[in-house]
Amino acid sequence: LISGKIIGQIQGGSLSAGDAVPSENEIIAAYGVSNTTARKVLQEIEREGWVTRIKGRGTFVREGKVERSADRILSFTKNMRACGLEPSTRVLDIRVLQKGRTILLGRRKCQLTGPIVRIERLRLADGVPMMKEMRFISSKLCPGIERKDLTGSLYDIYEKAYGYQLKNVDQIMSAVMMDRKSDMSLFEIEDPIPAFFVEGATFCGKDVVLEMEESLYRGDQYRFEVRATSRQ
Amino acid sequence: LISGKIIGQIQGGSLSAGDAVPSENEIIAAYGVSNTTARKVLQEIEREGWVTRIKGRGTFVREGKVERSADRILSFTKNMRACGLEPSTRVLDIRVLQKGRTILLGRRKCQLTGPIVRIERLRLADGVPMMKEMRFISSKLCPGIERKDLTGSLYDIYEKAYGYQLKNVDQIMSAVMMDRKSDMSLFEIEDPIPAFFVEGATFCGKDVVLEMEESLYRGDQYRFEVRATSRQ
């Protein structure tokens, strides 16, 4: 398989992060295949997270997948910087909802009373869309948050602008397909990819929910690290 | 049957995830039954996995999926029993490999020296295939494990037969498509589904790797719970 050969070169180190992989035309010339096949080869190694295609520039070997600790409170911003990537944020929507919100996290029922500030954002790393998130923030606990600069870490805003200490984020992770047209267009992908869908509630005190979130992390870019221990 | 009526409401969607189902007193009032009967009704729908009872709060409709703590060491066997499901195991393959094994878990390099007992198993709940796992076990630390009954919890064997105390399991989770013919046939599915691929290393002491694992959890049946805290 041609894709296997290219992946082998990445794994073996003869192609490293930032290097261009062969273009469609180079694959056609080197292996005598059709342009449909050549395109599929590039799509496949992209889907598996080895390369990023940059419009009008070519296809380049990525840094390894981003690893994210699932058991540590960590902002997207800090996580990307720790990976040597430059984070940026596109705010998609901000609105204030009057009604409260209730979710079940495992056995635990979590409630956030209204009004709620709902913020939808796309988070990018080196310009590549990495995850989309919907945050539901208690307007009572964070009055006026909808008027702040929302292009950075919300955790920082909770702590620095409102003085809350975050205790824990309880999360439920699902494995899903990212196959909705609107998501695929937002993430600039041509074919569906696996993704993590994460629901969570952030507590700033025992049973005090500060915010809830629903996030979609692309599976070709992310892996989650978790340490399980024997606590009961 | 009263339990059948309530389950019908959940299946029909007039009660949905997070909703409270009738309390014991409401069942008594609505159906004119004894409190013993009312309690049994709630126990039965809970045993079948439809609801969760929260002490002092009530009984709530569950999401349909099995929830697994990612940050707690928990055997498949115990996890399924806690969900009211009957676990079973199909041993697919057992072999002894002479060579050691090295994996990268995040930034950490983990090594297991050979010989290694490699066990491949399919784990089922109420007869439904839930996850497939490959375990790589130190033969030096667990001599003769390949001749034991391997249809139950390996964690139990490590602890009870060999006397190890498990410290932690470091895991990396990926979101993938379960689309290989052999996996789809094993899991008895007709179309590809999203899945979690989990790589892990189990430590029985600081830096002592007892086993490694590679597991595939079907995404249509599983969700993972994780609590993130602010530890650094």
Side-chain angles (χ1 to χ4, degrees):
Chain A
L1 271 168
I2 304 171
S3 59
K5 279 195 185 169
I6 297 173
I7 291 170
Q9 289 171 338
I10 299 170
Q11 290 179 310
S14 63
L15 281 171
S16 51
D19 286 352
V21 302
S23 66
E24 273 183 39
N25 286 336
E26 287 165 339
I27 291 172
I28 293 166
Y31 299 97
V33 295
S34 69
N35 56 6
T36 313
T37 302
R39 192 173 314 123
K40 277 192 185 152
V41 165
L42 290 179
Q43 280 170 357
E44 191 174 330
I45 58 178
E46 184 184 29
R47 200 168 46 236
E48 291 191 17
W50 296 99
V51 298
T52 304
R53 305 171 84 176
I54 303 179
K55 263 206 173 124
R57 303 250 318 274
T59 303
F60 300 92
V61 179
R62 284 189 57 82
E63 300 287 341
K65 287 186 187 180
V66 164
E67 261 141 28
R68 178 169 176 80
S69 287
D71 52 8
R72 241 180 81 195
I73 296 180
L74 180 68
S75 72
F76 175 84
T77 306
K78 274 191 195 139
N79 188 202
M80 290 308 112
R81 295 225 168 100
C83 295
L85 301 168
E86 187 51 37
S88 62
T89 298
R90 199 183 303 156
V91 177
L92 304 174
D93 187 58
I94 303 176
R95 62 183 70 182
V96 179
L97 311 171
Q98 293 308 313
K99 257 187 80 179
R101 196 163 183 270
T102 303
I103 58 170
L104 256 188
L105 282 178
R107 307 242 140 90
R108 191 170 185 186
K109 198 174 180 180
C110 293
Q111 281 182 304
L112 189 61
T113 48
I116 289 172
V117 178
R118 196 188 76 180
I119 301 170
E120 191 177 7
R121 309 193 297 177
L122 182 70
R123 319 296 300 267
L124 308 94
D126 285 356
V128 177
M130 298 292 283
M131 72 97 134
K132 185 185 81 165
E133 57 172 24
M134 190 87 90
R135 309 279 281 262
F136 302 84
I137 306 162
S138 164
S139 180
K140 214 172 92 194
L141 296 176
C142 300
I145 193 167
E146 66 275 19
R147 291 185 299 275
K148 295 203 181 288
D149 172 9
L150 299 172
T151 59
S153 162
L154 292 181
Y155 291 152
D156 274 357
I157 294 179
Y158 303 147
E159 292 183 339
K160 288 171 192 161
Y162 294 99
Y164 293 110
Q165 214 185 331
L166 306 180
K167 298 282 185 211
N168 51 274
V169 183
D170 285 0
Q171 306 161 97
I172 296 273
M173 306 177 59
S174 305
V176 299
M177 276 303 278
M178 189 191 288
D179 55 7
R180 285 165 59 181
K181 286 256 161 60
S182 55
D183 285 329
M184 290 174 60
S185 142
L186 198 59
F187 281 88
E188 299 165 19
I189 55 174
E190 304 211 342
D191 297 302
I193 52 172
F196 294 97
F197 178 67
V198 179
E199 290 170 277
T202 303
F203 294 81
C204 61
K206 195 171 151 30
D207 297 327
V208 182
V209 179
L210 182 62
E211 63 145 24
M212 291 176 176
E213 66 164 311
E214 283 180 3
S215 303
L216 191 63
Y217 291 83
R218 54 195 291 179
D220 62 342
Q221 302 284 358
Y222 265 99
R223 305 199 303 171
F224 282 83
E225 285 181 280
V226 193
R227 166 168 292 186
T229 58
S230 54
R231 75 173 165 77
Q232 293 305 306
Chain B
L1 271 171
I2 304 170
S3 59
K5 277 195 185 168
I6 296 174
I7 291 170
Q9 289 172 337
I10 298 171
Q11 290 178 311
S14 62
L15 282 172
S16 51
D19 286 349
V21 301
S23 66
E24 273 183 37
N25 287 336
E26 288 166 339
I27 291 172
I28 293 166
Y31 299 98
V33 294
S34 69
N35 56 6
T36 313
T37 302
R39 193 172 314 124
K40 277 192 185 153
V41 165
L42 290 179
Q43 280 168 355
E44 189 171 333
I45 58 176
E46 182 180 33
R47 201 168 45 237
E48 291 194 22
W50 296 100
V51 298
T52 303
R53 306 174 83 176
I54 303 179
K55 259 206 175 126
R57 305 264 307 279
T59 303
F60 301 92
V61 179
R62 283 181 61 84
E63 299 282 344
K65 295 182 184 180
V66 164
E67 262 143 27
R68 178 169 178 78
S69 287
D71 52 8
R72 240 181 80 195
I73 295 178
L74 180 68
S75 72
F76 175 84
T77 306
K78 275 191 194 141
N79 188 203
M80 291 306 112
R81 295 225 167 101
C83 295
L85 302 168
E86 188 51 36
S88 61
T89 297
R90 198 182 304 155
V91 177
L92 303 174
D93 187 57
I94 303 176
R95 63 184 69 185
V96 179
L97 311 170
Q98 292 308 312
K99 259 186 76 180
R101 195 162 183 271
T102 302
I103 58 169
L104 260 187
L105 282 177
R107 308 241 143 91
R108 191 172 185 185
K109 199 174 181 178
C110 292
Q111 281 182 305
L112 189 61
T113 48
I116 288 171
V117 179
R118 196 189 76 179
I119 300 170
E120 191 176 7
R121 308 192 298 177
L122 182 69
R123 317 297 298 268
L124 306 93
D126 286 355
V128 177
M130 298 291 282
M131 72 98 133
K132 184 185 81 164
E133 57 171 23
M134 190 87 89
R135 310 279 281 261
F136 303 85
I137 306 162
S138 163
S139 180
K140 215 172 93 194
L141 295 176
C142 301
I145 193 167
E146 67 274 19
R147 292 185 299 274
K148 295 201 180 289
D149 173 9
L150 299 172
T151 60
S153 162
L154 292 181
Y155 290 155
D156 274 358
I157 295 180
Y158 303 147
E159 292 183 338
K160 289 172 192 160
Y162 294 98
Y164 293 110
Q165 215 187 329
L166 306 180
K167 298 282 185 210
N168 52 275
V169 183
D170 285 1
Q171 306 161 98
I172 297 272
M173 307 177 57
S174 305
V176 299
M177 276 302 279
M178 190 191 286
D179 56 6
R180 284 165 60 181
K181 286 255 159 62
S182 55
D183 286 329
M184 290 174 61
S185 144
L186 198 60
F187 282 88
E188 300 163 18
I189 55 174
E190 304 212 341
D191 297 302
I193 52 173
F196 293 97
F197 178 67
V198 180
E199 290 169 279
T202 303
F203 294 81
C204 62
K206 194 170 150 34
D207 296 329
V208 182
V209 178
L210 182 61
E211 62 145 26
M212 290 175 177
E213 67 165 310
E214 282 180 4
S215 303
L216 192 63
Y217 291 83
R218 55 194 291 177
D220 61 343
Q221 300 284 356
Y222 265 100
R223 305 200 305 168
F224 282 82
E225 287 181 278
V226 193
R227 166 167 291 186
T229 58
S230 53
R231 76 173 164 76
Q232 292 307 306

